[in-house]
Amino acid sequence: MIRGKPDDDEYWNSSKFKAFTFDDEDDDFTRLKESKRAVNSILVEDEDEEDEVEKVNWSGEPVGSISWSVKETASNIRSTGEVRDLSFPKIDTAPSLPKNSSGYSLSSLFKGKAKTGSLQSFSESFSEQSLRNYAPELRKPKSEYKDYISDWTPEETVKRMQQGKAYSLEKFHFLQDKLLLLDEAVNAHDGNVITAVLIFLKKSLSKEILFRELIAREIALRHYIHYLKEMGEHKHLVELFKSLGRTEDMALMQYRDHLNIKDENRRRDFLKNCLSLPFSQEDATHVLDHYTLLERQIIIEANDKHVESSSQADIFKKYPRKASILNMPIITTLYYSCFYHYGESEGTYSSPANIRKTFRISDKQFLLTCLGARAKLKAWFDVDALFTTKNWLGYTKKRSPIGFHRIVDILHKNNAPVQVLQEYVNLVEDTEQKISLAQKYKCHDVIINTYRDLKDRQLLIGYREKVERSSPEYRKIEELLCNSQIRWKN
Amino acid sequence: MAHSVRRDAPELPDFSLLKRLARDQLIYLLEQLPGKKDLFIEADLMSPLDRIANVTTLKEHEVDKLYKVEHKSIVSTSDQLCFLIRPRIQTVKWICDVVNADKAVGKFRRYKVIFCPQKFYACETLLEEQGIIGDVTTDEWSFYLLPLDDDIISLELPEFFRDNFLEGDQRWVRTAGSALHLLHSLYGPFSKVYGIGRCSKMAYESWREQVKEGEQRVRQADIGNVFLIDRDVDLVTPLCSQVVYEGLVDDIFRIKCGCVEFGPDVTSSDKSMKVMLNSQDKVFNEIRNEHFSQVFGFLSQKARNLQTAYDKRSGMDIKQMKTFVSEELKGLKKEHRLLSLHIGASESMMKKKTKQDFQEMLKTEHSLLEGFEIRECISFIEEHINRQVILFSGLLPKDYRSLKAQYLQSYGVDHLLTFSNLKQLGLLVEQQPGETLTVMESRVGKLVNDKTAGKLTDAFSSLAKKSNFRALSRRLNLVPKSDEEYDLRVPRDMAYIFSGAYIPLSCKLIEQVLERDGWTGLEEVTRMINGHEFAVTAGSNGSDPRGRSDAQRIILVMFLGGCTYSEISALRFLGKEKGYKFVVVTTAITNSARVLESMLDNHA
């Protein structure tokens, strides 16, 4: 790092910045003029950058959308001076750089050999160094047009393409030459050139021949596929996959097109057509689900829209729909149906039971979705029913495929009252977990009862300190502590 | 709180030169289109541009109005339009539309397309096919490298990952080679290059070719050693939830080009604030590499110190007060502001993470890494999908299918395409029947999915490539013994960046290779990773041995396909332990969400 604030000369001498050479000297003079103009045009401002920023006079309209919009800058400058360098970072705050650094345009550097005018000091420092071209070539030397009709080998051609020099693919007429060219491009590991050669082959070979040759050339093939994808040439791509025997890829490729169809009825019809595509067995099921789902969503949507607008059902009035159900995932659809269509018989498409069955939704998943929807509606009775099972003797018991601690979390997130919460906290098996949940959600009864069952007097006394005096909890603890029938273990 | 630094650690070279170079070239290019012009900038080039130039610079070169490329029809009235874009087919198509629309109404303008960092033939062919070459001239802005901090340089090419590893398109290989070449020219000559991965090898070749084509200048090296690594050598690490401060900030707020936008909940005002996160921020600099659990303590200590410093004011006479105001107050105020920002950020992150069952997610990840309690992990992941909070996994076929089905049910069947991508990349692997359940990579991150319009967390576990992860992990000791407490205050190895549960494979490889000065003894490891490792030494050129020894301890690590802030933290730690300085060059900063998002394919 260059520390401190050296003056310009020092900077240049100590920096890594070295001059470069140009192989073609012919237009040095024009360049010099250009650069001089360039330098003159930008040396106008010499002041601190601090001032520069404020001087900007910016016509605002389009700028609002731009991350570094000046509007933002300006307001920051006005309000909090200090914030400015954060929200709109000043470039080159490093003291090592000359203040008016923007005055030296790249073009002036490129004219490193110039010996006149304002560039004097540069050229001196440059000429003392070994000249070297390290910067990327900005312009192709004009001298290169001379051997346009050429005899470059595939290797030379690829090299020239990589370097951005003039080249010609016209002379590669023979299939053998074309393939050599392609292989050479692949050997050079330059995807850009590989694709360029492939574009040439695409134009100059029939599909059948090109596809046939690509089968044996995995790397080129992948470039070709990617190119077609980017160009949106789906038909071509489908043909390619077909000829390669990659039927699953082909199916997915075609299926993907549904994303471009906005109209739901057309999308549904498109998906229906997709059903016959050669998907893997597993994916075929999913695509069928997709089609069935959209088909039903269209029906549900039309129906509910009507019901909602004609105010036929209270639920839509109380909880207006925020969005259409079209194109939502299966689980979202299930949630929707648990929310608006709970209790409908299995015969209707919109009923939770029907959706559960049609899409083979697992017990856990069904329960969680249902629970979320009913809890949101504060339908605690429904929630209760979800877990209640009757055995053959008619006793009821609460069961859940997921741990009750999870259920408690979900209920709490839906603002369930303590009475509801504690019922489920009580069902948590692990005592420690039960206590900690009860403490988290302030289910005093659960805690007190648990301590009582543990016959742990000390803990109970300790807990008494945490509840409010003269609250029902407090009284309950007092009563228990006075109860002589309990055999405390401590 | 900073770890003890070995006193002989060398100084890093000054990379701000790269910014100057890029800016000067941009100015040169703008001058090539004299006169007033409107500039259209590709959205993801705006932040990088921000770091090297400002509006004033552009205005000085006759840029009139600035627009973001939005793929819509344009409203400019200027007769010269300049487009500063990435070489993407989509953008070029849009430009073709713009030009042809102008032509259709008889509007005459000059157009210039500047591709950054380079042109692609495919783009030029498109211009040709649309019959607008001539109306449109093209140029290249070789802005390869953006220094994000003293020791981080980014190519800002997030698409590198998908293009290279998923699509198998090698278009960026030469770009990587050129970037390396530029660094070599300015800070080399390098004397040793190590690498692993197919892309690394190709990038190395491309660089070598470019060195051969140019002339080598004799200068004293600043950077002696280079390590190239493909992202797909280690996909586990970027999928892990980050717990080091900087990584966590990136996971939660998304750091963009070294800058983060803190919302009102952090700034405790009604405005959002953009903040640069780098070593210039003294508070940030001290906590960036720390495990999150250590950050609160540090910040509160800092706050107390600040209070004491402010308190000095009472009892000062006028003269002392004057000195205080002129010398200390500004610094204190700045520190105060930064401190309150980072405290705000920490609080906000705490809140978000508690909401998300972060602890359990981490536990699941760590178990997956260790390879036990697989059953529990699967059911955890399952529960998250069920709650529309997440998933993916690659396990026994039965589990894989059921998780996939549940994921599609929760997030939409169109994610079939995403699954196909994940499988292609090897992130999601179904075990062949009969194999035993070893395993696996894991990850849990967040995905913001437009469709469900919510934050979805995403648990992701995959059978490590070819089920090798367990074996690799044992071989390289990636998972420290869990029977002893890991003291996060005094990290003893790089595992601290994941709470002591896992040493990132990428960084461990780097450590081992540097220690052994090559791959000797790591044959089994490289075989499991699927190889393409190399270690090359340059022909000797006798320069000053003292200078050389310094340069030898500056190591440039280039991640092809992106790296995470956690890995950078791990390397900084390693550097401090061993007296190295690492310079991280990456195609982009990544994290679990970005890796997964790059695989998404459910949008038109």
Side-chain angles (χ1 to χ4, degrees), chain A residues 18 42 58 132 138 406, chain B residues 25 59 61 215 217 383:
Chain A
K18 298 284 155 70
I42 43 182
W58 195 245
R132 199 189 118 52
L138 288 179
R406 280 260 165 264
Chain B
Q25 199 198 358
K59 299 230 85 176
H61 299 281
E215 19 179 328
R217 167 178 53 124
E383 219 164 272

Side-chain angles (χ1 to χ4, degrees), chain B residues 312-329:
Chain B
K312 277 201 302 193
R313 277 178 305 182
S314 60
M316 277 184 185
D317 59 28
I318 299 270
K319 203 175 154 212
Q320 286 167 322
M321 188 64 106
K322 217 171 145 190
T323 344
F324 175 79
V325 171
S326 65
E327 284 169 12
E328 285 179 61
L329 194 58

Side-chain angles (χ1 to χ4, degrees), chain B residues 3 53 116 179 194 246 350 365 378 390 394 444 473 483 526 591 602:
Chain B
H3 314 293
C116 174
Y194 312 98
E246 190 167 14
M350 273 299 257
E365 272 179 32
I378 293 175
I390 324 230
V444 185
S473 150
D483 46 0
T526 58
N591 62 23
N602 64 330

Side-chain angles (χ1 to χ4, degrees), chain B residues 159-365:
Chain B
E159 63 253 62
F160 188 105
F161 180 70
R162 181 175 169 131
D163 284 345
N164 194 79
F165 298 111
L166 179 68
E167 309 286 359
D169 191 321
Q170 299 165 4
R171 57 168 59 149
W172 301 113
V173 169
R174 188 169 169 96
T175 318
S178 303
L180 202 53
H181 185 216
L182 183 57
L183 290 167
H184 177 75
S185 310
L186 297 174
Y187 305 103
F190 307 143
S191 41
K192 270 207 164 138
V193 183
Y194 312 98
I196 183 156
R198 229 169 77 84
C199 188
S200 293
K201 220 171 191 175
M202 295 191 291
Y204 167 77
E205 274 301 314
S206 169
W207 164 68
R208 203 182 48 82
E209 287 289 322
Q210 293 179 54
V211 171
K212 228 167 56 184
E213 283 157 21
E215 19 179 328
Q216 186 56 50
R217 167 178 53 124
V218 182
R219 67 183 297 286
Q220 181 151 335
D222 291 311
I223 299 175
N225 295 325
V226 176
F227 195 107
L228 301 170
I229 181 166
D230 281 19
R231 184 70 271 174
D232 75 344
V233 163
D234 174 14
L235 283 170
V236 178
T237 306
L239 290 175
C240 293
S241 296
Q242 306 191 69
V243 283
V244 163
Y245 188 73
E246 190 167 14
L248 197 53
V249 170
D250 189 36
D251 272 1
I252 294 183
F253 301 103
R254 298 215 171 201
I255 301 174
K256 204 172 134 198
C257 228
C259 177
V260 72
E261 184 166 357
F262 285 137
D265 58 326
V266 172
T267 56
S268 41
S269 66
D270 50 354
K271 268 190 302 189
S272 295
M273 192 189 273
K274 285 190 176 165
V275 184
M276 292 297 292
L277 294 180
N278 55 37
S279 55
Q280 303 295 312
D281 176 340
K282 295 286 172 267
V283 176
F284 176 69
N285 200 35
E286 288 192 71
I287 54 176
R288 66 194 307 184
N289 300 315
E290 296 300 325
H291 189 275
F292 189 60
S293 62
Q294 303 305 307
V295 169
F296 267 128
F298 172 82
L299 289 177
S300 62
Q301 180 58 44
K302 202 84 180 154
R304 278 196 295 275
N305 295 351
L306 194 67
Q307 190 58 52
T308 323
Y310 273 129
D311 287 348
K312 277 201 302 193
R313 277 178 305 182
S314 60
M316 277 184 185
D317 59 28
I318 299 270
K319 203 175 154 212
Q320 286 167 322
M321 188 64 106
K322 217 171 145 190
T323 344
F324 175 79
V325 171
S326 65
E327 284 169 12
E328 285 179 61
L329 194 58
K330 202 174 167 206
L332 286 177
K333 271 190 174 163
K334 188 168 180 204
E335 193 177 327
H336 188 174
R337 195 170 43 79
L338 292 171
L339 201 55
S340 66
L341 259 182
H342 289 293
I343 290 174
S346 304
E347 275 172 354
S348 162
M349 292 195 288
M350 273 299 257
K351 265 190 226 148
K352 284 185 182 134
K353 286 301 184 191
T354 345
K355 253 197 219 145
Q356 279 174 9
D357 306 323
F358 191 51
Q359 287 307 328
E360 253 183 270
M361 220 178 268
L362 285 179
K363 215 175 93 192
T364 306
E365 272 179 32

Side-chain angles (χ1 to χ4, degrees), chain B residues 161 165 196 229-240 369 427 441 465 469 472 478 498 502-509 529 559 561-564 567 590 595:
Chain B
F161 180 70
F165 298 111
I196 183 156
I229 181 166
D230 281 19
R231 184 70 271 174
D232 75 344
V233 163
D234 174 14
L235 283 170
V236 178
T237 306
L239 290 175
C240 293
L369 287 167
L427 257 182
E441 322 177 3
K465 278 199 152 167
F469 186 74
L472 264 176
L478 298 182
F498 291 123
Y502 165 62
I503 299 176
L505 172 59
S506 51
C507 303
K508 186 75 182 182
L509 284 173
I529 294 172
F559 285 90
C563 80
T564 62
E567 287 170 302
T590 193
V595 168

